[in-house]
């Protein structure tokens, strides 16, 4: 498949970015066989360039270093790009996987990453600097991370939503809606005129009665 010079430049720039890895959990598991138990290790690893790409991997081997290397290779196959708006995500979303539920909510600049455990690793290596995260389901680390990835993958960019609705980006973003709300407030002051007319009519009625 042929690519344009711009696409080739973008691909080359992404390949040159250094991918950082973070081991979230290492667990020892046992397999019961005829002669007894065979112990092995599992590793849960997150990799990312701390800009906008992140991936989650899971590996299993008889030794810890080999399990980590397998998890890193698996994470490289699952790299994806996070839609962002500045230093936070584009909108609120709840990621789901199995019994895990992870709520991700945009935050103002300077808030930081309010998250715990492996969720923080995914968000930080994905380049998200301001966000609020909350686990609403199971605390299983594998399912929590997969739920986080599910939520991040389902995020939509303002440009895509605007194109689908036939609107401009400024009309789609929440900031534009907040600016439009104060303009609608003075409409509530209009119904005062009939009260004045009623007072004047009552005044005229009193004058006629006095006459």
């Amino acid at each position: 498949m042929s690519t344009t010079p711009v696409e080739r430049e973008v691909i080359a720039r992404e390949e040159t970015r250094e991918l950082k890895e973070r081991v979230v959990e290492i667990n020892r598991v046992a397999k019961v066989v005829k002669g007894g138990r065979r112990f092995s290790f599992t590793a849960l690893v997150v990799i990312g360039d701390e800009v906008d790409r992140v991936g989650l991997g899971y590996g299993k081997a008889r030794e810890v270093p080999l399990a980590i290397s397998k998890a890193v290779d698996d994470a490289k196959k699952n790299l994806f790009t996070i839609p962002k708006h500045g230093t936070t995500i584009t909108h609120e979303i709840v990621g789901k996987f199995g019994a895990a539920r992870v709520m991700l909510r945009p935050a103002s600049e300077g808030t930081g990453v309010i998250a715990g455990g492996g969720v923080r690793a995914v968000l930080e290596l994905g380049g998200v600097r301001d966000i609020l995260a909350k686990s609403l389901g199971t605390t299983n680390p594998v399912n929590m991370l997969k739920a986080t990835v599910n939520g991040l993958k389902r995020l939509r960019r303002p440009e895509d939503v605007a194109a689908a609705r036939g609107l401009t980006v400024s009309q789609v973003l929440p900031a534009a809606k907040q600016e439009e709300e104060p303009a609608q407030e003075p409409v509530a002051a209009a119904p005062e005129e009939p009260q004045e007319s009623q007072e004047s009519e009552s005044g005229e009625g009193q004058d006629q009665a006095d006459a």
Side-chain angles (χ1 to χ4, degrees), residues 47-89:
I47 65 171
D49 58 2
E50 296 184 338
V51 179
D52 59 358
R53 290 195 307 158
V54 69
L56 176 65
Y58 188 76
K60 181 179 179 181
R62 298 293 296 273
E63 297 178 2
V64 174
L66 187 56
I68 294 175
S69 64
K70 283 185 176 182
V72 171
D73 293 339
D74 183 45
K76 288 180 180 179
K77 298 176 184 178
N78 301 323
L79 281 171
F80 67 97
T81 302
I82 301 176
K84 295 194 302 179
H85 178 62
T87 60
T88 186
I89 57 177

Side-chain angles (χ1 to χ4, degrees), residues 47 52-57 74-84 89-97 102 104 122-123 126 128 131 144-157 160-161:
I47 65 171
D52 59 358
R53 290 195 307 158
V54 69
L56 176 65
D74 183 45
K76 288 180 180 179
K77 298 176 184 178
N78 301 323
L79 281 171
F80 67 97
T81 302
I82 301 176
K84 295 194 302 179
I89 57 177
T90 52
H91 57 86
E92 181 179 344
I93 196 167
V94 176
K96 302 177 182 179
F97 185 86
V102 177
L104 304 173
V122 173
L123 298 173
V128 181
I131 192 171
M144 281 180 59
L145 264 65
K146 288 186 176 181
T148 306
V149 170
N150 172 262
L152 294 175
K153 284 184 176 180
R154 291 192 292 113
L155 288 173
R156 302 180 67 186
R157 300 179 185 276
D160 300 336
V161 177

